[in-house]
Amino acid sequence: MRILVSGLLLTVTGPEAYGQPGFQPEIPRVWDEAALAEWATPVAGLNLRPKHISEKEYYAQRVENLRTYPVYAPGREPEGYWRRLQQTGPRALIERSELKTEEDWIRAGKRVFDEMDLLHLRTLDRKYINEVRNGSEAPSRMLPDGTLFGMRWVPTSEGVALSFSNCSFCHVKFLPDGTRVAGAPFQTVAPRPPETFRVWPLISRVQLSKGVLVGSPPFFMPGEPIGTQLYRAYGVPWRKDDIHKSLKSATQTDYEALDLAARAGGIPRWNGSPLFPAKVPDLIGIKDRKYIDHTATHLHRGVGDLMRYAALVTSAEAAEFGPHKMVGKATRRPGLRVPDEALFALALYLYSLQPPANPNVFDARAAAGQKLFERECARCHVPPLYTSNQLTLAEGFEMPKNRPASLDVLPLTVGTDPGLALRTRKGTGYYKVPSLKGVWYRERYLHDGSVASLEEMFHPERLKETHEPGGFRPVGVKTRAIPGHPFGLHLKAEERAQIVAFLRTL
Ligand code: HEC
Ligand code: HEC
């Protein structure tokens, strides 16, 4: 009963391995030169893989293995909570010796998912701590139990630090009835009140006070103007007409406007773009997907790759693309990493995630929709995963002849906005065919989250310039067409409604 990770596949010998004592996983080495060599997809326009930091550099980083605890809104902190946190002292986030069964590992992974913080943003500065504990207003959205969304206390050897959630910041959704769904995409600004994102200004101030570059993963570069930071995070120097050049002269106010607009659809991640945001994907079902990110920036060959991706976005970004080095010599990385076993447990937990109970019944209407679906959609959204696990070409992208054999490409384009795939550092030229499982609880559709409902997605009006997108639209734009993915739009209104009814049952 071992998990043998060949670097390609996770093989468990016999289903009886689950839940039995003696689960002795062979944990893949997360930063492994051999596994990293062909992991990333070449970037469009450069036709080169982004560089990764070396194995040596990765493992030279200090290991951080600390539990974190919820932050309560002012006035909601239980009696004695703060004192108990002081007395608790640093505790291990993961302790390998205590994990005997696969369930133990998954439970440990849940803790990593819920508790892992943005290591580089921990602060012991009393100013922020007092503001959070005693401020007149909670700096973040309060959840029904009185805790604050996205914030964590971290007992360290130097005292209790304030920090912010990592994976669970963006990859947790609250259903309208308050149910917390781990792995489902967190919803962005509209139509919710912007209060949901109140925590961002505080994160921004902590970042600036520490000299951390905007965006994740972290690099330290104190005192740079915001425009310089934004260009480092999002600039694409190999493109002659790089639209991100304009970010160089951006002010804090410009940045906030861009960020707010992007968040109506997605979240601009490092190497992505606030001008071409990426929707937060659903992590439920990730186990069955062959590629990571909307643009398939990385392969997902097994548990090691999911661990690698978690490490990459937490502390291992190199930000080098062929001759283009986005961070200069004066820039420091925080030099922190979490233990490999924490990432392994996290990945097993992500693999174990299940969707919430679906309230939509499969009725006659949905059955009619299924027939139409089989005719119009199933060649790409192949059941039972509702994706063929293939890539499509972004509009205008010519596939390089020497593309890696690991990319399974349908030689066609669905014609959606090519910005993320062609004009950013996450741009590979491809968009993957997404799985449609769970579309009923997601609130944004297409890679940029420009569509806010399935009705909008399957309404022909969205192809017109007079359309008012329900999700992402650029700053200052009220109406514009959401192009592409014309499938189903030619059908009668009732037929489209049937397809939507069917989609809601998946
Ligand atoms: C600030 C928000 C944010 C945080 C924090 C965050 N993610 Fe994500 N994640 C995103 C967004 C946005 C994307 C889509 C990026 C893209 O496609 O370019 C994404 C993509 C992913 C994907 C690819 C899924 C797919 O189907 O393509 C995985 C896996 C993932 N994140 C896991 C994690 C893990 C694990 C952590 C914690 C270590 C984490 N994320 C932290 C926002 C976030
Ligand atoms: C030729 C392949 C293809 C066909 C046929 C196709 N799709 Fe898609 N579908 C895609 C691709 C590729 C995307 C992602 C595009 C993007 O994000 O830019 C997508 C996205 C979607 C999304 C948004 C999912 C999300 O999470 O963002 C839905 C919903 C959807 N398709 C449903 C359908 C339905 C219903 C049909 C038939 C009426 C259909 N598709 C036909 C390839 C296809």
Side-chain angles (χ1 to χ4, degrees):
M1 281 178 289
R2 290 165 79 79
I3 281 198
L4 302 169
V5 180
S6 61
L8 279 177
L9 274 178
L10 175 76
T11 338
V12 181
T13 46
E16 72 282 1
Y18 291 87
Q20 303 252 328
F23 175 79
Q24 303 260 332
E26 213 169 85
I27 298 178
R29 191 166 166 79
V30 67
W31 221 248
D32 170 64
E33 294 293 351
L36 286 161
E38 299 191 344
W39 179 46
T41 305
V43 179
L46 266 186
N47 203 19
L48 285 173
R49 292 191 163 92
K51 198 176 166 273
H52 53 80
I53 67 169
S54 71
E55 190 171 333
K56 200 169 147 223
E57 202 181 343
Y58 183 83
Y59 285 105
Q61 304 185 101
R62 195 177 81 217
V63 176
E64 278 293 317
N65 184 22
L66 289 184
R67 288 204 63 174
T68 72
Y69 301 86
V71 172
Y72 284 87
R76 292 293 299 269
E77 202 173 272
E79 186 65 37
Y81 182 70
W82 185 245
R83 199 183 55 244
R84 281 200 301 280
L85 279 181
Q86 315 293 318
Q87 289 161 355
T88 303
R91 294 271 173 94
L93 181 60
I94 188 159
E95 267 187 284
R96 189 172 181 174
S97 61
E98 287 177 0
L99 309 177
K100 310 281 186 238
T101 65
E102 185 168 23
E103 272 95 72
D104 291 344
W105 275 93
I106 292 174
R107 219 173 299 119
K110 177 181 185 317
R111 185 195 270 177
V112 175
F113 180 81
D114 291 342
E115 296 190 12
M116 188 176 19
D117 62 314
L118 299 175
L119 311 173
H120 55 289
L121 285 188
R122 284 181 196 158
T123 175
L124 288 161
D125 191 328
R126 302 298 313 174
K127 184 170 78 207
Y128 299 118
I129 292 178
N130 288 339
E131 177 180 329
V132 168
R133 289 197 64 231
N134 313 324
S136 54
E137 223 192 326
S140 174
R141 180 164 65 124
M142 189 174 73
L143 302 174
D145 62 0
T147 60
L148 293 180
F149 173 80
M151 307 178 83
R152 307 294 298 175
W153 294 124
V154 197
T156 72
S157 51
E158 288 137 47
V160 176
L162 173 68
S163 193
F164 303 94
S165 301
N166 189 345
C167 320
S168 57
F169 199 107
C170 302
H171 292 291
V172 169
K173 180 181 177 65
F174 294 89
L175 297 182
D177 68 3
T179 311
R180 181 183 187 273
V181 186
F186 177 70
Q187 199 27 54
T188 33
V189 181
R192 301 277 168 75
E195 99 156 278
T196 310
F197 267 101
R198 259 166 45 209
V199 61
W200 277 103
L202 178 63
I203 295 185
S204 252
R205 279 191 288 136
V206 172
Q207 274 189 325
L208 286 176
S209 75
K210 293 183 143 263
V212 181
L213 292 188
V214 171
S216 176
F219 294 101
F220 288 88
M221 187 73 187
E224 276 191 326
I226 182 109
T228 313
Q229 296 195 28
L230 289 171
Y231 183 75
R232 283 177 189 279
Y234 306 120
V236 187
W238 54 91
R239 273 194 73 105
K240 286 202 178 59
D241 61 344
D242 180 21
I243 188 171
H244 302 94
K245 265 186 213 146
S246 65
L247 293 177
K248 286 184 179 173
S249 56
T251 61
Q252 181 71 26
T253 318
D254 297 336
Y255 168 55
E256 280 165 19
L258 278 175
D259 199 51
L260 193 69
R263 280 170 203 281
I267 291 188
R269 295 290 267 159
W270 179 270
N271 293 335
S273 168
L275 301 162
F276 308 110
K279 175 185 72 171
V280 182
D282 194 352
L283 299 185
I284 301 170
I286 179 76
K287 190 171 199 267
D288 297 317
R289 282 172 228 155
K290 276 175 61 181
Y291 304 101
I292 290 175
D293 284 348
H294 301 294
T295 53
T297 58
H298 295 86
L299 299 176
H300 181 209
R301 297 163 295 190
V303 73
D305 283 343
L306 191 52
M307 293 163 63
R308 234 154 258 138
Y309 186 84
L312 178 76
V313 298
T314 299
S315 66
E317 174 65 41
E320 279 189 44
F321 302 81
H324 308 281
K325 297 185 173 41
M326 300 312 298
V327 291
K329 286 210 169 56
T331 314
R332 280 186 301 124
R333 58 174 64 253
L336 305 172
R337 68 177 177 94
V338 293
D340 282 9
E341 57 263 33
L343 296 172
F344 180 68
L346 173 66
L348 290 190
Y349 171 66
L350 295 178
Y351 280 178
S352 79
L353 291 174
Q354 294 298 322
N358 190 339
N360 303 298
V361 287
F362 188 87
D363 54 13
R365 204 161 189 221
Q370 182 172 28
K371 286 223 172 65
L372 293 164
F373 184 89
E374 276 158 14
R375 195 181 77 201
E376 306 281 334
C377 325
R379 67 190 160 114
C380 293
H381 300 288
V382 186
L385 298 177
Y386 292 91
T387 169
S388 59
N389 255 326
Q390 285 174 306
L391 307 179
T392 61
L393 305 172
E395 178 102 75
F397 181 62
E398 274 187 40
M399 209 169 8
K401 290 207 172 55
N402 63 345
R403 73 171 187 280
S406 51
L407 301 182
D408 182 0
V409 185
L410 273 173
L412 55 81
T413 176
V414 301
T416 50
D417 187 298
L420 180 68
L422 292 182
R423 304 178 71 180
T424 74
R425 306 198 307 243
K426 285 198 140 196
T428 55
Y430 307 104
Y431 287 123
K432 66 180 178 190
V433 177
S435 167
L436 303 181
K437 283 169 88 170
V439 282
W440 68 269
Y441 59 77
R442 299 190 219 149
E443 289 177 69
R444 287 295 181 276
Y445 306 97
L446 297 181
H447 64 270
D448 57 4
S450 48
V451 177
S453 70
L454 291 170
E455 283 72 16
E456 182 182 2
M457 176 88 185
F458 294 101
H459 203 300
E461 284 296 310
R462 81 160 160 81
L463 299 179
K464 298 189 182 156
E465 288 299 332
T466 48
H467 179 67
E468 200 172 306
F472 167 69
R473 54 185 180 213
V475 175
V477 171
K478 195 163 157 55
T479 64
R480 73 161 181 174
I482 302 175
H485 199 283
F487 314 107
L489 295 182
H490 64 286
L491 299 174
K492 292 196 215 72
E494 174 52 21
E495 291 172 319
R496 286 184 271 120
Q498 289 166 345
I499 291 193
V500 167
F502 171 65
L503 293 178
R504 289 225 159 86
T505 66
L506 298 179

